[in-house]
Amino acid sequence: MTDIIQLLPDHVANQIAAGEVVQRPASVVKELLENAIDAGATEIKLVIKDAGKTLVQVIDNGKGMSVTDARLSFERHATSKIKSAEDLFQLNTKGFRGEALASIAAIAHVELKTKRPEDELGTAIEIEGSKVKSQEVSVTPTGTSVAVKNLFFNIPARRNFLKSDTVELRHITDEFHRVALAHPNIAFAFYHNGSELFHLSSENYRQRVVHIFGSKTNEKLVPVEEETEVLKISGFVGKPEYSKKTRAEQFFFVNQRFIKSPYLNHAIGAAFEGLLKDGYHPSYFLNLTVDPKTIDINIHPTKTEIKFDDEHTLYAILRSAVKHSLGQFNIAPVLDFEHQSQFNTPYSYKNKAGSAPTIEVDRSFNPFADEGTSKNQSSSPKHFKKASTASWESLYVGLESKGNGKNHDLSEVAFESDSKTESIFSDASVETTKTTFQLQQKYIVSTLKSGMLIIDQNRAHQRVLYESFLKHITIKEATSQQLLFPLQLHFTPNENKIIKDLKTDLEHTGFVFSQFTEEEITITGVPVGVPESEVSIILEQLISDVQNDVPDANFSATDLLAKSMAKSLAIKNGQSLNGTEQEHLVNSLFACKEPNVSPTNRPTFITMKVDDIEKKFM
């Protein structure tokens, strides 16, 4: 028999590695930005075209590469970051695998231009699918420029899996935010299709957060500072009243590297316990500095997962630090019996001896005495004196004679009878029978000829609202109620863009927008039946749904909008309904085109036949 195990060719191995490292254009952005930071750049420019499908270019002013290094950088496992296995436990750089450029070059057209400060001329290299097309001397500024064109040109299946430009741009923006927040001392610029999205200068951490997420973010931030032998924490958490339904503003950085850690996220949630509404998440931008020897980054190619030596200690320190900051800045209610300002003794009374209180009693005061003999007669008001001189008996003078008149005999007075009011409803033909009742303030139970009907009130109302909103959006006719005072809502630039894209569809449901700025939206009208207090919740839920599943087609966007608004405005479980409301909901549900399922394809009701009930008693 022949041997069956063989070494894979380099171009095949590179494409396999690319599948782990490069999943979408955002992965390329992450790798190139991190390489620029490792090169010691102070200014980095990111240029994107068609959400990265056509072009991803990163230009930096770092230390550049020599001719040999430039050519060698595209080989697998070729890196300047580490030299031995021991270096893995003392990593101070972003990358260390030496796979990024090789993986990118295997599935795209790459143009590299680089030059060191001491060199007069730089190097330009062109690679297509791991094959070097040209390498020549070039006149280029100090630093490195890497342009990645036609991503996945030789893997059509992978290219077909890419989402719409909106989705891919959002992923790129997320990666840009993570890198820019981790390094506020570096200036960044971000361009997409020729328009500038971000221009960030070198600044402190608070300014960086505000410039990325909007000026209104400044008033939401609570500083967190803690330093121990194990861990140093610095950064900010958001105030509880500004919490969101999404986790878009949650950032952990360990040694200036963005990570995802559900365990540490739980520590933040524990610190905010009792301060957040159900379904809302706190915002945080926290930098954790630990000894590189105590963490292992070499777990996943994306390097967003880190293993800590002592997670329990980090959890306790992080939770305490955040809780301390919330109490220190009077965010969380604090009761401190050791120091209360109202218990403090003024300095002027510090050495005074205590004395018994003095009581003054007017012994000559007689409440039954005549007003003329009263001691305080002169102090009473004039009109009060005048009124008090009239005797109260005068009010009843003449009543006795009036009551004894012939025409005022009580026996002749006719009183209204209660039976007359009852006679209005005494018609025997009218029967008021209750056909529905509410169970556990969650289900509506109604009778059928064949048995019993049990309806989930939340899902049923979602279906009713969903079809109503879908009808208004598609027919493009909706009624709106005008607000007495315009409602101003503040969102991040990215969230504002999402609402702006859906502005037309929102107007068809009944919303009226008067002004759109980069960070503020002014609303002058809302759909009929939508309370003003629910508007921000509806839009936050809509943003969350769009970010989790951005549709490609217009119909899908309309469908998503109707689903999101129906979910936000539907009757919640636990809400009490009277008989009329219950019947109206039941009738509205069965007037729908698809009453059997909710917008998310879950059953809205179940039926129990009499035969099934009888079997229970057998």
Side-chain angles (χ1 to χ4, degrees), residues 536-555:
S536 61
I537 299 173
I538 292 170
L539 293 181
E540 282 182 13
Q541 181 67 52
L542 177 62
I543 291 168
S544 171
D545 292 339
V546 170
Q547 287 179 336
N548 291 332
D549 181 22
V550 179
D552 296 336
N554 289 331
F555 177 78

Side-chain angles (χ1 to χ4, degrees), residues 199-257:
H199 188 85
L200 308 171
S201 57
S202 178
E203 53 203 346
N204 62 39
Y205 192 51
R206 190 182 193 111
Q207 290 171 330
R208 179 56 56 90
V209 173
V210 169
H211 286 155
I212 289 178
F213 293 99
S215 58
K216 279 290 176 181
T217 312
N218 191 36
E219 63 190 47
K220 307 176 186 177
L221 301 179
V222 178
V224 179
E225 294 287 341
E226 189 66 49
E227 187 168 359
T228 65
E229 296 179 358
V230 181
L231 172 69
K232 179 183 177 183
I233 304 171
S234 64
F236 304 94
V237 294
K239 294 179 181 177
E241 59 265 32
Y242 296 108
S243 58
K244 297 193 172 185
K245 296 179 81 71
T246 64
R247 299 180 183 270
E249 294 183 4
Q250 295 186 344
F251 295 89
F252 271 126
F253 300 99
V254 174
N255 295 354
Q256 295 187 316
R257 183 190 302 275

Side-chain angles (χ1 to χ4, degrees), residues 459-471:
R459 294 180 186 176
H461 200 214
Q462 278 191 41
R463 165 53 64 177
V464 173
L465 291 176
Y466 168 71
E467 292 199 5
S468 173
F469 285 132
L470 208 57
K471 179 181 176 184

Side-chain angles (χ1 to χ4, degrees), residues 159-175:
R159 191 176 181 87
N160 291 336
F161 277 112
L162 293 179
K163 303 291 185 181
S164 66
D165 286 359
T166 309
V167 181
E168 297 301 338
L169 180 60
R170 181 171 61 82
H171 284 289
I172 291 172
T173 306
D174 288 344
E175 291 294 347

Side-chain angles (χ1 to χ4, degrees), residues 408-476:
H408 297 86
D409 189 3
L410 292 177
S411 62
E412 298 178 1
V413 177
F415 293 95
E416 186 178 358
S417 174
D418 291 342
S419 62
K420 290 186 179 181
T421 58
E422 289 180 359
S423 65
I424 299 173
F425 304 102
S426 60
D427 191 358
S429 63
V430 178
E431 293 183 3
T432 55
T433 57
K434 191 174 182 181
T435 58
T436 62
F437 70 91
Q438 196 175 21
L439 179 65
Q440 298 280 324
Q441 293 186 340
K442 184 176 181 181
Y443 302 105
I444 296 174
V445 181
S446 183
T447 56
L448 292 171
K449 288 183 179 179
S450 59
M452 186 167 58
L453 180 74
I454 303 173
I455 300 171
D456 186 309
Q457 65 183 33
N458 176 257
R459 294 180 186 176
H461 200 214
Q462 278 191 41
R463 165 53 64 177
V464 173
L465 291 176
Y466 168 71
E467 292 199 5
S468 173
F469 285 132
L470 208 57
K471 179 181 176 184
H472 287 150
I473 295 171
T474 51
I475 298 176
K476 306 187 186 313

